[in-house]
Amino acid sequence: MRTHLPLNALRAFEASARHLNFTKAALELYVTQGAVSQQVRMLEDRLGVILFKRLPRGLEMTDDAQILFSVLTTAFSDIERVFKQFERGEYRDVVSIAAVGTFAVGWLLPRLAEFKRLYPRIEVNLRTNNNVVNLATEGLDFAIRFGEGLWPLTHNKALFPAPLTVLCSSDTAKRLQHPTDLINENLYRSYREDEWLQWFEKAGISPIKITGSIFDSSRLMIESAIYEGGVALAPVKMFSREIKNGQLIQPFKIEVELGKYWLTYLKSKPMTASMEIFQQWLMSEALKECCERYK
C-alpha cells in the first residue's frame, strides 16, 4: 500500500522553493500566504526537518530542502508531461529538441512534416539555441549541436559534417573572381576567429583582415550578407533554398571542414520509445544527406 502523500503541502513547498517567497507561491496557487506557510510547517513537522530559513525579505532553502526540491521538480515535470500527452482526447507523446538555429531552419524543419506524417502521435517540440544548451535544466530530450562532439555528459552521435564556404549576394559575387578579391569586402564571421584563417589557408592565399560584423548565428550572418552586401563564411548545405532561388551565390568551390552536427542526449536519462523512434528517423535522414554528398 502506498503511503499517503501530503500533496497540498508538497505543492506549497515546491512553489515556495521556486519563488523563495511564500507570498509569490500563494499567488501562484490561488491561496493565502498564511495557508502556504501553514502547509510548509505541516510538511516540516511530518519530515522532522527544517526546510526554509525565514529571512526578512524571503526564504533560503536548507540542504534538506534542496534534496526534496530536486526530486519534486522532476516528479511534477513528469506528471505535467503525461497530462499534456492526453490532450485532445488521446495519448500523444512529446519529444523536446533544441537545435542550432541554422540547422533547425536550414535542414530539420523542411523534413519534420514527413516525420509527423509517419508518426502522428509523436509531437515534436523544437526550439533553437546558439550552440549553448543545458539538457538537464531545460527539460530537453535532445540537443543538436555543431562542433567536435566532445561534450562529456551526453551521448554524442555524429549526423554529418557541414563544410564552410564563402557565400554572398549575386551583386557581391560579380566582384569576386579570385579569393584575393575578398580584400575589398566586409568579411563576416562567427565567434570562432580561426574559421576565416583556415579557409584562407585552404584557398592558398595570405590572411586578409576581417573587417565585418561578428554573429552568433550563421542564419543571421547570411541574412546580413543578402541585404547588406557583406561576405559570409557559412555551411553551404544549410542554405540550399537561398542558393536555389538566387539569393545567395557560392563564388568559390573552396570549402573547409571545422566540425559536424551532432545529436546529443543525456547519459543519465533513460531513452523513451518515442525518443528512440525520433533518433532512428533522424539518423536515417542524416545518412541520406551523407550519401547525397558523395554522389
Side-chain angles (χ1 to χ4, degrees), residues 218-268:
S218 294
R219 177 62 49 179
L220 292 177
M221 190 191 307
I222 288 298
E223 291 294 316
S224 185
I226 291 173
Y227 295 110
E228 297 183 10
V231 177
L233 193 63
V236 63
K237 67 176 60 180
M238 295 296 111
F239 300 97
S240 57
R241 285 173 294 174
E242 289 83 355
I243 291 173
K244 187 175 181 179
N245 65 28
Q247 286 183 291
L248 277 182
I249 301 293
Q250 181 184 0
F252 313 116
K253 295 299 181 183
I254 303 162
E255 297 180 346
V256 59
E257 194 170 302
L258 300 178
K260 298 178 180 179
Y261 286 109
W262 300 78
L263 178 68
T264 71
Y265 54 97
L266 286 170
K267 293 177 180 178
S268 60

Side-chain angles (χ1 to χ4, degrees), residues 17 27-28 33 42 50 53-54 70 85 89 94 99 126 147 154 190 197 199 208 216 227 255 257 271:
L27 289 172
E28 177 183 317
Q33 185 268 351
M42 287 172 55
I50 299 298
K53 296 177 183 178
R54 277 69 169 176
S70 175
Q85 289 171 336
V94 179
L126 175 64
T154 54
S190 73
L197 294 177
W199 189 89
I208 295 172
D216 67 355
Y227 295 110
E255 297 180 346
E257 194 170 302
M271 183 169 287

